[in-house]
Amino acid sequence: MSILSVARRAGVSIATVSRAFNSPESVAPATRAAVTAAAAALGYEPNLSARTLRTQRSRTLGVVLPTFRNPVFAETLAGIAGAAADAGYAIIPLTTDYQEALEQQALRRLSGRSVDGLILTVADAARSATLAALKRARRPYVLAYNRHAQHPCVSVDGERAMAELVARLQQLGHRRILMVSGHLSASDRAQQRHRGYAAAMQAGDNTAELLELPFIDNAPELLTERLGRADRQHRPTALVCSNDLLALRCMRAAALAGLRVPEDLSVIGFDGMALGTELRPSLASIAQPNEEIGRRSVAWLLDCLERGSAPRAADSLTLPHQLRELESMRPLASPHPTLPRSS
Amino acid sequence: MSILSVARRAGVSIATVSRAFNSPESVAPATRAAVTAAAAALGYEPNLSARTLRTQRSRTLGVVLPTFRNPVFAETLAGIAGAAADAGYAIIPLTTDYQEALEQQALRRLSGRSVDGLILTVADAARSATLAALKRARRPYVLAYNRHAQHPCVSVDGERAMAELVARLQQLGHRRILMVSGHLSASDRAQQRHRGYAAAMQAGDNTAELLELPFIDNAPELLTERLGRADRQHRPTALVCSNDLLALRCMRAAALAGLRVPEDLSVIGFDGMALGTELRPSLASIAQPNEEIGRRSVAWLLDCLERGSAPRAADSLTLPHQLRELESMRPLASPHPTLPRSS
DNA sequence: CTGTTAGCGCTTTCAT
DNA sequence: ATGAAAGCGCTAACAG
């Protein structure tokens, strides 16, 4: 049931059928009606492979993300999928598990499938051979979450966001603020967030300290140990985490160490995954507009594709973040209870 | 940089290049080496559209899921994506937001893209016009999570699982067990789970009661109201929820109503999303092997595709579920404290 | 406004 | 073991 069947049934040539679909205005109304009717009767759907082969446009986008197990990227994917679908594009998603080698592989897999463009989040934009190759191949792409002057990016200013958060915590009385992160070297975003943390701590004359948890397996133990061992005077009063999933683990570890959140310890995440607001205590976090990052990436990419250009680094987008001061975060209780309004 | 460039560079015909890739054994080792070298030098990747057009096989699977915002389906997608990638297949995912109309639309979108097969989770398998159409069109497909005798499914026995859970709760001393669900009519799985609940309650001579929360917007209010209004004698001691996300909301609502989980109220979810174990209290749940459901669906579908058949309803898979008795669930404390070992 | 035709890149007979 | 050639379904000149 190809274009030919439709043509025969409508009593026209295949070219006319094609035109009736692709530039209806160039076909006589009567003819167009006949074609439409025939197509409907046969349940005809144009074959995308043939069209792609001929036009060199697939109306398909490659999507490369670290994982779907982290709700942040699931939300991003939802945004991407929605925007793409609305524009009549399909997506082919691939995951890399934060591994550079898999990023390479993903691109190779996508290359044969003639995607029109790519949306990706890489571990480290600065030293990604994958990205360099993409750029060299002049394939249109947009990075989501990554921030790098040489690449077109849709992201949030994580460094500034983190600095703002830490400043705010200090304003609320916190002094011993510990940053908890995965392996810094594994993610350029974690590095940026850490820079913001360090700068704000220094500005507040407080000591920056970083707890890196490279592997999630023993993370709870490490955390519990770190939180439990110190006496009250040296224990952090707030934990800033480089992502929400980590913050969740911190909250649990705190509970296991006998600490109450937020009475004894404030815990703040980064990402703003939707689930955070449903918890008890609800998770304070620097919220990124995850779905919108996905949607905007698609919008920008498609816009460029339509005009035959490729996204340029100079046009990168920084979307606003938002500090969610939810239940897991609160002002530091003064050690000596004071009367209401006493200060 | 097509097959022709490779052929020229290797000094052979395009047919030989094609063979070198698709049936290496049918080509002389020396020739094969030359072709491989030429292809590598040129960075040649066979064009999938052309191949698809010619062979009528795209090595692409359509994936239709309700949403990526529910971690359960994100996990499923991870399983599907992994298994598909390992087998050299790409996936095109589409979401339906539990709406039948969007299911239709998804299939239409996929039909032009010549996917070899489909994996889908529909709202209600029994009355899905979409499914009927698929079946009629003889397109190979597998349902994930749905259970229906007329369709090939990969699922767990939700009815039995729920009955087991409720029996277990009763064994732990619970009598007033309330089931909380989204709109029953919106999901065949919720219906099955509810049947299991009702049967087990009846078997235990207890009164089944259902709280339907059609819209999430006012769910917290409704829940808080239901939990807060009743005095201690009439308040449920356990909540069984038709999914984990709902259970999360219940836990939060309970807290807002002044109830402690699990001391005052046990809350049990359904799905076993990975995140549940990271919470405090960790979320008790009937765990489904979500990623495996994805992987097995792919494996089955691909197996059929290879042998040129389509999955048959009779070969449907029921995977084992697992009751996670985590922190949000505990035996009913007896109202009148008893001495240890007094019974 | 419509038809004829070439060709997108590949696989697959059919020859040799 | 290799090559020549047809054709998958479609679009885009080009003609008329």
Side-chain angles (χ1 to χ4, degrees):
Chain A
M1 182 220 356
S2 68
I3 202 175
L4 185 59
S5 339
V6 180
R8 283 211 260 260
R9 180 164 182 131
V12 298
S13 75
I14 59 169
T16 299
V17 177
S18 176
R19 284 192 202 99
F21 274 87
N22 300 308
S23 47
E25 72 285 358
S26 73
V27 137
T31 323
R32 193 191 319 154
V35 170
T36 312
L42 295 168
Y44 166 76
E45 290 283 345
N47 180 319
L48 263 294
S49 296
R51 182 178 279 177
T52 297
L53 185 57
R54 178 63 232 242
T55 62
Q56 309 288 24
R57 292 195 55 206
S58 62
R59 296 193 161 271
T60 303
L61 262 27
V63 175
V64 180
L65 293 172
T67 175
F68 302 138
R69 293 175 184 95
N70 186 333
V72 175
F73 296 116
E75 289 175 25
T76 315
L77 183 66
I80 293 173
D86 288 348
Y89 276 70
I91 62 173
I92 297 185
L94 254 34
T95 56
T96 64
D97 251 321
Y98 301 94
Q99 292 173 244
E100 161 83 30
L102 291 186
E103 290 173 8
Q104 292 269 19
Q105 192 182 58
L107 285 221
R108 217 164 343 157
R109 295 221 153 111
L110 251 19
S111 66
R113 300 207 169 248
S114 55
V115 295
D116 294 342
L118 292 157
I119 292 177
L120 52 179
T121 300
V122 299
D124 190 330
R127 54 174 195 219
S128 168
T130 314
L131 274 192
L134 248 190
K135 207 171 175 179
R136 229 176 304 117
R138 309 191 137 281
R139 257 179 186 293
Y141 69 93
V142 171
L143 295 186
Y145 295 102
N146 297 285
R147 283 172 78 78
H148 192 282
Q150 311 302 325
H151 297 288
C153 303
V154 174
S155 63
V156 147
D157 187 343
E159 181 168 347
R160 211 188 83 190
M162 188 56 98
E164 285 170 8
L165 165 65
V166 172
R168 172 73 177 138
L169 283 170
Q170 290 174 126
Q171 180 193 352
L172 292 176
H174 291 277
R175 293 296 172 262
R176 296 191 302 282
I177 305 170
L178 172 66
M179 172 149 190
V180 183
S181 170
H183 222 357
L184 273 199
S185 65
S187 154
D188 52 4
R189 278 142 291 148
Q191 288 163 35
Q192 287 158 11
R193 291 164 195 182
H194 179 252
R195 273 203 297 280
Y197 161 78
M201 285 300 272
Q202 184 165 25
D205 260 336
N206 289 122
T207 315
E209 195 193 341
L210 174 68
L211 178 60
E212 270 184 290
L213 301 174
F215 308 106
I216 35 174
D217 313 335
N218 60 346
E221 286 74 20
L222 283 173
L223 257 170
T224 313
E225 200 256 340
R226 174 70 181 79
L227 292 174
R229 77 163 184 241
D231 56 78
R232 205 173 179 302
Q233 301 310 314
H234 298 96
R235 194 191 295 139
T237 62
L239 257 38
V240 296
C241 308
S242 68
N243 67 65
D244 279 354
L245 243 29
L246 209 48
L248 239 52
R249 294 197 180 101
C250 287
M251 287 215 281
R252 185 167 167 80
L256 296 182
L259 300 174
R260 292 162 304 166
V261 175
E263 292 83 350
D264 302 321
L265 182 72
S266 285
V267 175
I268 303 94
F270 199 119
D271 283 343
M273 63 181 194
L275 238 107
T277 64
E278 313 255 18
L279 306 178
R280 176 72 184 191
S282 53
L283 179 63
S285 182
I286 294 172
Q288 312 184 83
N290 298 309
E291 298 210 10
E292 201 188 346
I293 287 179
R295 282 194 303 266
R296 296 287 283 266
S297 299
V298 170
W300 185 13
L301 185 54
L302 292 190
D303 194 56
C304 290
L305 290 179
E306 302 297 327
R307 44 161 42 69
S309 65
R312 299 176 315 167
D315 298 329
S316 285
L317 250 49
T318 297
L319 301 185
H321 56 269
Q322 189 198 354
L323 174 56
R324 279 194 197 145
E325 297 199 26
L326 297 185
E327 295 161 358
S328 70
M329 162 181 178
R330 69 152 62 163
L332 184 65
S334 51
H336 312 290
T338 51
L339 294 175
R341 296 195 183 75
S342 72
S343 59
Chain B
M1 182 219 355
S2 68
I3 202 176
L4 185 58
S5 337
V6 180
R8 281 212 261 261
R9 181 168 180 126
V12 297
S13 75
I14 60 169
T16 300
V17 176
S18 176
R19 286 192 199 98
F21 274 86
N22 300 307
S23 47
E25 71 285 357
S26 75
V27 128
T31 323
R32 192 192 318 153
V35 170
T36 313
L42 294 168
Y44 166 76
E45 290 283 344
N47 180 318
L48 263 295
S49 296
R51 183 176 279 179
T52 297
L53 185 56
R54 178 62 231 241
T55 62
Q56 309 288 24
R57 292 194 54 208
S58 61
R59 295 194 159 271
T60 303
L61 262 28
V63 175
V64 180
L65 294 172
T67 175
F68 303 138
R69 293 176 184 94
N70 185 332
V72 175
F73 296 115
E75 290 175 26
T76 314
L77 183 66
I80 292 174
D86 288 348
Y89 276 68
I91 61 173
I92 297 185
L94 253 36
T95 56
T96 63
D97 253 318
Y98 301 94
Q99 293 174 244
E100 160 83 29
L102 291 185
E103 290 173 9
Q104 293 269 21
Q105 192 181 57
L107 284 221
R108 212 158 344 126
R109 294 221 152 114
L110 251 19
S111 66
R113 302 211 168 244
S114 56
V115 294
D116 294 341
L118 292 157
I119 293 176
L120 53 177
T121 300
V122 299
D124 191 328
R127 53 174 196 220
S128 169
T130 315
L131 274 193
L134 248 191
K135 208 171 175 179
R136 230 176 305 114
R138 308 191 138 280
R139 258 178 185 291
Y141 70 93
V142 171
L143 295 185
Y145 295 102
N146 296 287
R147 283 171 79 76
H148 192 281
Q150 310 302 326
H151 297 288
C153 302
V154 175
S155 63
V156 306
D157 187 342
E159 182 169 347
R160 212 190 80 191
M162 188 56 99
E164 285 170 7
L165 164 66
V166 172
R168 171 73 177 140
L169 284 169
Q170 290 176 124
Q171 180 193 353
L172 291 176
H174 291 276
R175 293 295 171 265
R176 297 192 301 281
I177 305 170
L178 172 66
M179 173 147 188
V180 184
S181 170
H183 222 357
L184 272 200
S185 66
S187 154
D188 52 4
R189 279 142 290 148
Q191 288 163 34
Q192 287 157 10
R193 291 165 195 181
H194 180 252
R195 273 203 298 280
Y197 160 79
M201 286 298 273
Q202 183 165 26
D205 261 336
N206 290 122
T207 315
E209 196 194 340
L210 173 69
L211 178 60
E212 270 184 289
L213 302 174
F215 308 106
I216 37 175
D217 313 336
N218 60 346
E221 286 73 19
L222 283 174
L223 257 171
T224 313
E225 200 255 340
R226 175 68 181 81
L227 292 174
R229 77 162 184 240
D231 57 79
R232 206 175 179 301
Q233 302 311 313
H234 298 96
R235 194 190 297 139
T237 62
L239 256 40
V240 296
C241 308
S242 69
N243 68 64
D244 279 354
L245 243 31
L246 209 49
L248 239 52
R249 294 199 180 102
C250 287
M251 288 215 282
R252 185 167 168 81
L256 297 181
L259 299 175
R260 291 163 304 164
V261 175
E263 291 84 349
D264 302 320
L265 182 71
S266 285
V267 175
I268 302 94
F270 200 118
D271 282 344
M273 65 181 192
L275 239 107
T277 64
E278 314 255 17
L279 307 176
R280 176 73 184 188
S282 54
L283 178 63
S285 182
I286 293 173
Q288 305 182 273
N290 297 310
E291 299 210 8
E292 201 189 347
I293 286 179
R295 283 195 303 267
R296 296 287 285 266
S297 299
V298 170
W300 184 14
L301 185 53
L302 292 191
D303 194 55
C304 289
L305 291 178
E306 302 296 327
R307 43 158 48 67
S309 65
R312 299 176 316 167
D315 298 329
S316 286
L317 251 48
T318 297
L319 301 185
H321 56 268
Q322 190 198 352
L323 174 55
R324 279 194 196 146
E325 296 199 24
L326 297 185
E327 294 161 358
S328 69
M329 160 181 179
R330 68 153 61 164
L332 184 65
S334 50
H336 311 291
T338 51
L339 294 175
R341 299 194 181 76
S342 70
S343 61

